[in-house]
Structures are given as structure tokens and as C-alpha cells.
Amino acid sequence: MELSEPAESSPFFRAVVAANKNWQEYMTKMTNRPSDPLEFEAVYNEINRIAEEDALFSIDVGDNIINSFRYLHLTPKNKWTISALFALMGYGVPGSLAGALSFPERQIFNISGDGAFSMVMQDIITQKKYNLPVINIITSNASLNFIKSEQDDLPIPEHSGIFIEDQDFAMIARGMGVEAVTVTKSDDLPAAFDKAVEVTKAGRPFLIDAKITDKRGMPVEELELHVENGKFVETINPGYNANGKLTHPGSVEEFFASYDGEELKPITYYFDQEGVVAD
């Protein structure tokens, strides 16, 4: 069978490629910028730095699912697992145990939030008992932040039931014989992750308690595309930031700026650049 010639790129294709380039530049900026107090993007930058090309990732339920999809440099050589159907918090530690036992020759990461990790943290003693070299990364912000983000968009007076007690997870880990370190700013991340590699290469588990802020990652799903008077128009879901404690931005540009994305442009900008029209 003869292969056909590649199709000529359409204006829509060129527009979305340019928009994606703009988004990738934004994510690169966010991962590389210093933060004190620590922000979650810098943590993922370090994971990518030390991760081996066939590393396994057990990703717990919460913001880390969204952030892992966005910021982990996953390839077909990696294996990763999440609780996709039931969204069971506390998935990360048992997933890492299964990964370490099933693939003892490969690097294993457990990426958990503090709420999820608190449910199952007693099982890092199992990592210790069987010398399972898991790199445990706890993104700790004293909040059930995925639920907090959901409550951001509910017309309720304020957030409810989502702020949890902070804990010293490094001290808890050391109490179970697992080496650990606490990190509160991005400058301290490289040494912590280098230590994690050293310890796990020696056949022991390690834990990093990353004390991050409880900021929300940009919820791009709140952007909506409409056709008005024959033109595409991008707007913000009217339910976004409906919580009584928050402010609804007046424009897409204000929405981007509230997430430090001043360089981001609406998709309609690229439609106009490439001549995409609404039929």
C-alpha cells in the first residue's frame, strides 16, 4: 500500500500548536523559578532531574494527579499508576510497594499529598522491613487542596472541612527507621533529591517532606470558547471562584495573571493570527 502525502497543516492546527508552545513556555518558567516558601512546580523539576528513564511512579489522589500529568516528563519507558476510577486517597504508598516488589531493578517514586499520605504512612515501615528503595515525596500543605479547589467554585460563604493539621513527616519517618529530610524552599531541593538517590541506590527507602504552599494550579478547564457574531470568544466559567472568599477575574488576561501567567495569550489570539474563523 502506498503512503499518501502528509496533509497540509490547517490554520486551526497551526493555531493550537502555537498556543501549546505558549503553554509549555509558561510551565518551564514555573518549574525553574525559585520559590520561598516552596511551590509545587519546583518539586517536579527535581523529580524530572533525578528520575531514570524507566522509573516507576505511584501517584496518589489529589492535586498530584493533575500536577504529574502536567509536569512529569513521562515517556513510554516509564510505568505509572493512579487510582483513576475510584480516586482512593492513600494509593501512593501501596502502589510503591507493589512497584518495588514487582520491578526490583527499577527506580520507584511515591508522590503523595499530606492528606493521602496520612491515611497509610504506617506502611513505610514495610518499605524499611523489606529494604524497598522507594523515594517518597510528600507534598505537604496542610490542606486537602484538590477539594479546596472544588470549593473555590461553589457559591458557599467560605471553605469548609479542608484544612488539616500539619505534621512533621520527616520525623515520623525517622521514627520508623526511614531516612528523611524536610524542605521548605526551592534552594534546598537539589541536596534533598541527591540524598534520596544516594540512599535508595544503597537499597533503602527515603522520604522528602516538601512543605509547599496551598496555591491552586491554573484550572484551564474553567476557560470556555463561544461563538459570538461569527467570531470565537474565550471567556471564564461564571462559576469560577464563586466562593465568598474569592474574587472573580474580569477577563481572561486577569485570570492568567492571577496564576503568574502574564505571558499567556487566549486561544482566540492564535485563531486571529492564523485566520481561523467560526463557520
Side-chain angles (χ1 to χ4, degrees):
M1 183 179 68
E2 292 186 7
L3 296 176
S4 59
E5 292 293 323
E8 184 177 343
S9 65
S10 66
F12 177 81
F13 177 80
R14 292 193 297 271
V16 295
V17 167
N20 180 261
K21 182 175 183 290
N22 185 218
W23 174 252
Q24 296 296 331
E25 290 169 348
Y26 165 73
M27 290 202 296
T28 298
K29 179 192 80 172
M30 297 300 286
T31 56
N32 289 329
R33 71 176 186 175
S35 53
D36 180 8
L38 182 63
E39 296 180 336
F40 66 81
E41 295 95 341
V43 176
Y44 280 86
N45 197 35
E46 285 299 308
I47 296 172
N48 289 327
R49 179 178 69 85
I50 69 163
E52 297 175 0
E53 64 176 6
D54 62 348
L56 276 67
F57 298 92
S58 180
I59 303 166
D60 218 318
V61 168
D63 275 359
N64 281 311
I65 289 181
I66 299 171
N67 295 333
S68 293
F69 287 168
R70 288 182 176 178
Y71 291 101
L72 277 185
H73 295 168
L74 296 170
T75 75
K77 292 184 178 181
N78 297 123
K79 288 184 180 292
W80 57 274
T81 180
I82 61 173
S83 178
L85 181 59
F86 295 110
L88 295 171
M89 292 177 67
Y91 184 84
V93 171
S96 72
L97 294 174
L101 291 168
S102 300
F103 300 93
E105 75 287 356
R106 295 171 71 169
Q107 188 184 41
I108 312 291
F109 288 86
N110 160 39
I111 306 175
S112 298
D114 48 353
F117 184 68
S118 296
M119 297 178 174
V120 295
M121 59 186 175
Q122 65 275 7
D123 253 348
I124 63 169
I125 193 67
T126 306
Q127 297 176 3
K128 168 69 165 54
K129 177 178 175 63
Y130 294 104
N131 296 314
L132 303 178
V134 176
I135 299 175
N136 299 279
I137 300 161
I138 316 305
T139 51
S140 178
N141 54 19
S143 170
L144 303 176
N145 221 50
F146 189 89
I147 306 303
K148 176 173 170 283
S149 297
E150 290 183 335
Q151 291 187 10
D152 285 351
D153 304 330
L154 294 176
I156 55 180
E158 58 187 15
H159 298 98
S160 175
I162 47 81
F163 297 109
I164 60 179
E165 194 71 14
D166 192 20
Q167 302 175 66
D168 189 337
F169 292 109
M171 180 179 288
I172 292 168
R174 287 193 290 268
M176 288 189 271
V178 174
E179 295 162 82
V181 65
T182 299
V183 178
T184 61
K185 57 184 179 181
S186 59
D187 286 349
D188 294 337
L189 286 171
F193 277 80
D194 288 346
K195 185 66 175 179
V197 172
E198 175 190 333
V199 171
T200 53
K201 287 291 187 184
R204 304 187 304 274
F206 192 80
L207 183 141
I208 297 173
D209 184 4
K211 300 296 188 185
I212 63 170
T213 68
D214 66 349
K215 74 171 188 177
R216 185 181 187 180
M218 186 185 295
V220 293
E221 67 276 8
E222 298 298 332
L223 296 173
E224 299 179 342
L225 198 61
H226 309 275
V227 176
E228 296 179 8
N229 300 320
K231 289 195 66 176
F232 286 112
V233 177
E234 190 169 25
T235 60
I236 308 164
N237 185 334
Y240 170 71
N241 273 10
N243 190 291
K245 292 290 186 182
L246 304 174
T247 301
H248 189 87
S251 67
V252 173
E253 288 78 11
E254 286 182 20
F255 174 86
F256 289 149
S258 67
Y259 294 96
D260 300 315
E262 291 84 356
E263 71 274 36
L264 290 171
K265 294 180 172 59
I267 186 65
T268 50
Y269 169 85
Y270 297 102
F271 285 174
D272 291 343
Q273 291 284 302
E274 295 295 338
V276 177
V277 296
D279 293 329

